[in-house]
Amino acid sequence: MPRGIPNAKRDDTGIKYTTFHVPLSTNPKHLGTTYLKSESQTIWFRNSQRRSKEETPQESRRGSQVLVIHLGSRFSRIGRASDVTPVTVPTVVARRCKTPVTPHTFIEGIARPRAGKKNLRPSEKSLDQNEYEVSTTSDDPFEEKIAAITTSLRDRMRFYKLRVTPNAANIASTFNGPFRPEIIAEHNDPYRVDWISSSTDEEVLVGDKALRLADPQSSSFIVRWPIYGSKFNTRDYTSSQVVLSDIETLLRYTLHDKFAIEPRDYGSLSVVLIIPDVYDRDYVRELVSLLLVSMGFKQLCAQQESLAATYGAGISTACVVDIGAKTTSIACVDEGLVVADSRMSLNIGGDDITEFLYVLLERISFPYKDINLANSYDWNVMEDLKARLCTLMEVDVALNLYDFVVRKPGSPAEKYGLRAYDEIILAPMVIFEPRMIEFDNKRLGLQDLNPCITEEILEHTSDHVTSAMVISTQHLLPGPSDTPALQYTDQKDKTSSDAGPTLGTSSNIIVEGSIDVPMEVIDIELEDNKSSGPQQSSPSKSARRPSSEPVQPFPGSFGVDVCFEASKLPLDVAIFNSARASGGDEKIRKYLQAVLVIGGTARISGMGHALESRLQAIATPLVQNMERVQIIPPPKDVDHRVLAWKGGAVLGKMDGAAELWVTQQDWDILGMRGLKERCFFL
């Protein structure tokens, strides 16, 4: 070999004529390293260590530097964690605009009589018939639905041996029809309203001020509610930025006017944000970005409503039912953890009771003839009547005399008299008999304001489909052609939009991926009698849907829109399905013995008894060794409406909450991934 040439080794790698660098074998020492494997090496620990050095000595009162914010469709509750009760502000903003303002149209969520037909209650046929019998000669679907709900009420009255007042509708109509109101002088009205005229110089009105506008249309003000159910109001807004701008205006005004907190103080305040159980990730992301980036709060902790309610009630396990203005949320909480598959959202709320009460009172010649639910002052009249009249106690049904006061801008207050019979109990019964609700009308005008936004944590529409929703819509799902063991129950006669989904006979089915564990699908007949005693569900045909039918693409690859169809369920059936989705009979017994009802509608007289009796009738024949269903009352002197806020205040004062805070730096670096790291439910 010539001198100076090194002894070249033979290359067997097969890549002799390339510059590709062959990676070295793994160093065994790297496999045993502790880098980023301990809690002290994470960004959360380093940030908390830095914050602990920068923080000032602890404030004199625990929670005084923590704000708790709970946004709602009708009212938002804001306050310090150290406060006893929050400040309640209507979630409404009025802005002056240069373009002409179109009048607000009221979207009817309750069925109405057929066009051209007066909404008058028919009189009883004869006095010698069975007093509990309900008969109708009209072919109007509206009258048939009213008769079905009245039949359910009469069955419960028969069970409790309560008498029915004969010809009560005619007596009430005779009194209400010719009634003339009493004029109340302004100096004699202690609750007179100072209406805001069109000459105001303010460009933005928030909360109660927005509702005191005498005539928003002539004043060139557009009045909008930024929150609708568990999402942003996409019907009245065309941009998510406008929605967020109104929410920010609402928060800044409330903090300045009620708490004397200036924007320069936001950097020293922490925020506990109460979010819905069935949340939209876009909704959470935009709100967190608003609070941390736009408003500049120090840090934030997000918590679900049901879990916050258990904190407020001082219990660790419960089935939480939150009846709001637009929607009803149901979720089971097990030892401080929300069972994700038990979550359900019903498109039924307190506003439906208010509107249904108006429809029922119209049938007995409601004396206030000029009522228009699109006006805020007329809506408040019905809200006041609902709060004072409505009950779910059958023993309270009587032909009583009531009064109410109408306060309109530009005219003195008027005092009316009113006689009503079973209308006061039929209105709240709509949450158990949702056949009167027009669910399709509620979706009119809703749109997606962020259709093209993507992020590292992708959200699929199927993420909102839970096991409780699937159980509730089993009878609507198409059956597979190659699985003869999987059968579903067809509906009885009517569609779900008319009578609501019904649960009926139980049949064992094998669910895919369940390792041959039988799962029971029940179907409770809601079209027939519904009394407080145990019911015998009538057998119905169990047949498989033909697989040859064309199936439309819906979220989760189901043959129907599971989320929408499950939102039509009666409240008692939805609660039972939510408990069933959490586990077997033992779990059902556990949750049904700890049902926590919150929200404004929970304050209706007799709500606990009505829910207990209906759940008992469903659970007794279907759950082995089922004991008494129990509705847990809130702690003493705590309003149902603020229970979730109280839970957020408790969380904000706990030492363990130090690990849940997301700072501005965390949000800037990690975004939703940071919130997911701190909040395990996202």
Side-chain angles (χ1 to χ4, degrees), residues 447-486:
Q447 54 188 334
D448 188 4
L449 299 182
N450 299 315
C452 302
I453 294 181
T454 59
E455 53 179 85
E456 292 158 348
I457 301 179
L458 297 178
E459 180 179 30
H460 303 283
T461 51
S462 59
D463 294 344
H464 300 291
V465 179
T466 64
S467 297
M469 298 178 184
V470 175
I471 291 174
S472 304
T473 56
Q474 286 282 14
H475 58 291
L476 300 175
L477 300 179
S481 58
D482 54 348
T483 311
L486 189 59

Side-chain angles (χ1 to χ4, degrees), residues 251-532:
L251 294 177
R252 288 183 182 273
Y253 169 82
T254 304
L255 294 178
H256 172 74
D257 189 60
K258 305 296 183 181
F259 301 96
I261 298 177
E262 301 296 335
R264 62 175 178 271
D265 302 327
Y266 293 169
S268 61
L269 297 175
S270 305
V271 174
V272 175
L273 178 64
I274 310 297
I275 64 174
D277 294 323
V278 184
Y279 56 87
D280 187 359
R281 191 169 279 116
D282 290 336
Y283 174 85
V284 177
R285 183 188 65 245
E286 297 292 353
L287 281 182
V288 174
S289 179
L290 169 68
L291 294 171
L292 290 180
V293 180
S294 301
M295 301 186 68
F297 285 104
K298 178 182 176 181
Q299 53 193 6
L300 179 140
C301 171
Q303 196 61 264
Q304 286 174 290
E305 288 175 339
S306 57
L307 189 54
T310 57
Y311 287 152
I315 55 180
S316 60
T317 301
C319 180
V320 182
V321 182
D322 185 2
I323 311 177
K326 300 293 184 183
T327 59
T328 298
S329 174
I330 305 169
C332 294
V333 179
D334 187 12
E335 300 297 336
L337 179 66
V338 178
V339 182
D341 278 334
S342 68
R343 297 175 301 162
M344 289 192 66
S345 180
L346 304 182
N347 204 2
I348 305 170
D351 285 359
D352 297 314
I353 299 177
T354 305
E355 185 181 352
F356 191 31
L357 177 63
Y358 161 72
V359 173
L360 291 173
L361 293 180
E362 267 197 331
R363 303 176 78 234
I364 54 173
S365 304
F366 189 53
Y368 179 29
K369 308 298 182 182
D370 299 331
I371 187 171
N372 181 9
L373 295 183
N375 298 326
S376 60
Y377 46 84
D378 285 343
W379 179 266
N380 290 337
V381 170
M382 296 309 304
E383 283 284 340
D384 174 67
L385 286 174
K386 180 184 72 172
R388 294 190 295 112
L389 270 63
C390 284
T391 179
L392 282 168
M393 297 289 292
E394 290 79 8
V395 70
D396 293 338
V397 177
L399 193 61
N400 294 328
L401 176 62
Y402 309 94
D403 58 51
F404 62 96
V405 179
V406 176
R407 296 178 176 88
K408 297 188 295 184
S411 60
E414 299 175 341
K415 185 176 181 180
Y416 287 86
L418 170 69
R419 297 199 74 173
Y421 181 55
D422 56 3
E423 289 78 14
I424 61 175
I425 192 173
L426 290 177
M429 278 182 63
V430 73
I431 61 178
F432 303 112
E433 303 277 351
R435 67 188 76 223
M436 291 300 304
I437 300 177
E438 298 288 346
F439 292 98
D440 291 328
N441 288 356
K442 291 191 172 188
R443 297 201 296 181
L444 295 177
L446 298 179
Q447 54 188 334
D448 188 4
L449 299 182
N450 299 315
C452 302
I453 294 181
T454 59
E455 53 179 85
E456 292 158 348
I457 301 179
L458 297 178
E459 180 179 30
H460 303 283
T461 51
S462 59
D463 294 344
H464 300 291
V465 179
T466 64
S467 297
M469 298 178 184
V470 175
I471 291 174
S472 304
T473 56
Q474 286 282 14
H475 58 291
L476 300 175
L477 300 179
S481 58
D482 54 348
T483 311
L486 189 59
Q487 296 184 348
Y488 304 97
T489 305
D490 284 330
Q491 286 182 299
K492 177 189 174 183
D493 299 334
K494 299 184 180 180
T495 61
S496 60
S497 61
D498 287 340
T502 60
L503 275 255
T505 56
S506 58
S507 59
N508 291 334
I509 68 171
I510 306 299
V511 181
E512 183 179 357
S514 61
I515 320 180
D516 296 336
V517 177
M519 176 180 176
E520 190 181 59
V521 172
I522 62 171
D523 197 316
I524 296 174
E525 289 291 340
L526 298 171
E527 336 252 351
D528 297 327
N529 299 348
K530 202 169 185 189
S531 62
S532 60

